Amino acid sequence: MKLSVLFTIILITLMPFSWAQTDAIEQVYSRPYVIFDGCDTAEDKEKCYEINLQELIGKQLNHKTYKDSIFYLAKRDTIAVPISILYDEFGTIVKDYSLITNPNTESKQSMKGLLDSIPKVKPVLDTYNKGVAISISSIFGYFLDRTKDSIIPLVGYEPKIIPFSIIDKAPVYKGCNRKLKNEELLKCMNGEVSKFIANNFNINLASELGLSKGVKRIYVSFNINKKGKVSDVRARGPHRDLEAEAIRVINKMPKLKRPGYFKNKPVIVPYSLPIVFRITE
């Protein structure tokens, strides 16, 4: 039996983003946040934007098109909906670079249709009061009230796990330069993790198990915890021994130089990859 092994990593696309009010942003912009209509007089305009956006999305989630599948597939009574919206210099959503992720753990597709319900905003302004394009990311929580058949916004919701798609600062893998941009850090991590697996995975195991010809995949997922360590490793593959080997290797990964950060706090970041085998004889 001949065995060729390819180690491939799922590349998660990151979009440019920022989180509205920080001291650094205030120094660059005369208005460092977008404003919803009706929030002009609010004491905290950024918070007003968040609440309005969360409520708008909640109303759309309560439409039968989304609600039935959410109630059916949700494993818990609380769901998290990751949001990343790019506004152009006029305050209009750029749909090709904006994302609302389906909260169902069984379904990873985008719910771009929800973007149509979000109205135009007053844009971020530079020091010359000219509009500036900006992307804003967050995660909104909702309670599934099954007795009332309603999805209710949870104001102040703080998620335990933050996906790569909206994280502020990506985790930094050993050998990667922490000064790189998020998308470059992710590419570097993908490459380093791929090398690590190639150097540590027992490639003879598949041939010893007598698997049939063809492409075989082991799907691995794990979390990078708040200290930059790998945790909660899971694997699904064509044989238990291959799953165990994948888990063994991932658990040997070195501690990262920096965990992921969101809103200036270390957070848990999920990561996934397939290990691909091609058995030719």
Side-chain angles (χ1 to χ4, degrees):
M1 178 183 293
K2 294 183 179 179
L3 174 67
S4 61
V5 183
L6 303 173
F7 295 93
T8 60
I9 304 297
I10 292 177
L11 179 62
I12 308 168
T13 303
L14 292 175
M15 292 179 288
F17 53 83
S18 65
W19 190 255
Q21 294 186 42
T22 66
D23 291 339
I25 292 178
E26 287 178 351
Q27 292 173 10
V28 177
Y29 302 126
S30 64
R31 185 168 69 205
Y33 41 77
V34 298
I35 299 179
F36 260 134
D37 186 34
C39 289
D40 299 76
T41 59
E43 183 175 348
D44 189 335
K45 296 178 177 60
E46 181 189 18
K47 190 65 177 178
C48 183
Y49 165 83
E50 288 185 28
I51 292 174
N52 275 267
L53 181 59
Q54 184 179 24
E55 290 179 349
L56 279 171
I57 293 172
K59 288 180 180 178
Q60 297 304 310
L61 293 178
N62 272 290
H63 287 174
K64 187 176 180 63
T65 304
Y66 299 108
K67 185 171 65 175
D68 288 352
S69 64
I70 290 173
F71 270 94
Y72 179 74
L73 292 173
K75 295 180 178 180
R76 299 179 177 84
D77 288 335
T78 300
I79 59 172
V81 181
I83 312 291
S84 185
I85 299 177
L86 175 63
Y87 293 101
D88 64 17
E89 62 272 29
F90 304 106
T92 302
I93 292 177
V94 183
K95 293 184 180 179
D96 288 344
Y97 294 94
S98 299
L99 183 70
I100 298 179
T101 304
N102 194 308
N104 296 321
T105 55
E106 302 296 332
S107 178
K108 303 299 182 183
Q109 78 270 25
S110 167
M111 297 191 293
K112 281 188 175 290
L114 295 181
L115 295 171
D116 294 330
S117 66
I118 302 173
K120 185 177 180 180
V121 298
K122 293 183 179 180
V124 168
L125 298 177
D126 64 15
T127 53
Y128 300 99
N129 287 323
K130 293 183 179 181
V132 177
I134 193 168
S135 186
I136 300 175
S137 301
S138 190
I139 296 183
F140 294 135
Y142 297 89
F143 174 67
L144 305 184
D145 191 336
R146 299 180 187 274
T147 60
K148 296 181 179 180
D149 191 33
S150 180
I151 298 177
I152 303 171
L154 294 172
V155 179
Y157 173 79
E158 293 189 6
K160 294 181 179 180
I161 299 178
I162 306 293
F164 264 104
S165 59
I166 68 167
I167 200 165
D168 290 343
K169 293 182 180 179
V172 180
Y173 193 85
K174 182 180 179 181
C176 298
N177 185 348
R178 66 173 64 227
K179 294 181 180 179
L180 294 174
K181 295 180 179 179
N182 276 355
E183 54 267 40
E184 294 171 333
L185 281 172
L186 181 56
K187 288 180 182 179
C188 181
M189 180 172 175
N190 286 339
E192 293 299 322
V193 170
S194 181
K195 292 177 187 177
F196 179 84
I197 294 173
N199 291 332
N200 290 276
F201 197 92
N202 180 4
I203 61 174
N204 297 317
L205 184 58
S207 59
E208 295 170 1
L209 295 173
L211 298 176
S212 60
K213 290 192 300 183
V215 176
K216 311 296 179 184
R217 291 179 174 83
I218 307 171
Y219 295 96
V220 182
S221 62
F222 57 91
N223 291 330
I224 301 168
N225 68 22
K226 295 179 182 180
K227 295 183 179 180
K229 295 182 178 180
V230 168
S231 65
D232 305 313
V233 184
R234 299 171 294 279
R236 178 169 55 86
H239 195 283
R240 289 184 179 179
D241 288 354
L242 290 175
E243 293 175 349
E245 175 64 5
I247 292 172
R248 180 192 71 82
V249 171
I250 297 301
N251 275 322
K252 288 183 61 178
M253 280 176 52
K255 179 181 178 181
L256 274 66
K257 293 165 60 177
R258 183 187 74 193
Y261 275 78
F262 187 68
K263 296 187 180 181
N264 298 318
K265 295 180 181 179
V267 294
I268 299 172
V269 180
Y271 193 88
S272 61
L273 65 144
I275 300 174
V276 182
F277 293 82
R278 185 185 299 277
I279 300 176
T280 56
E281 295 290 344

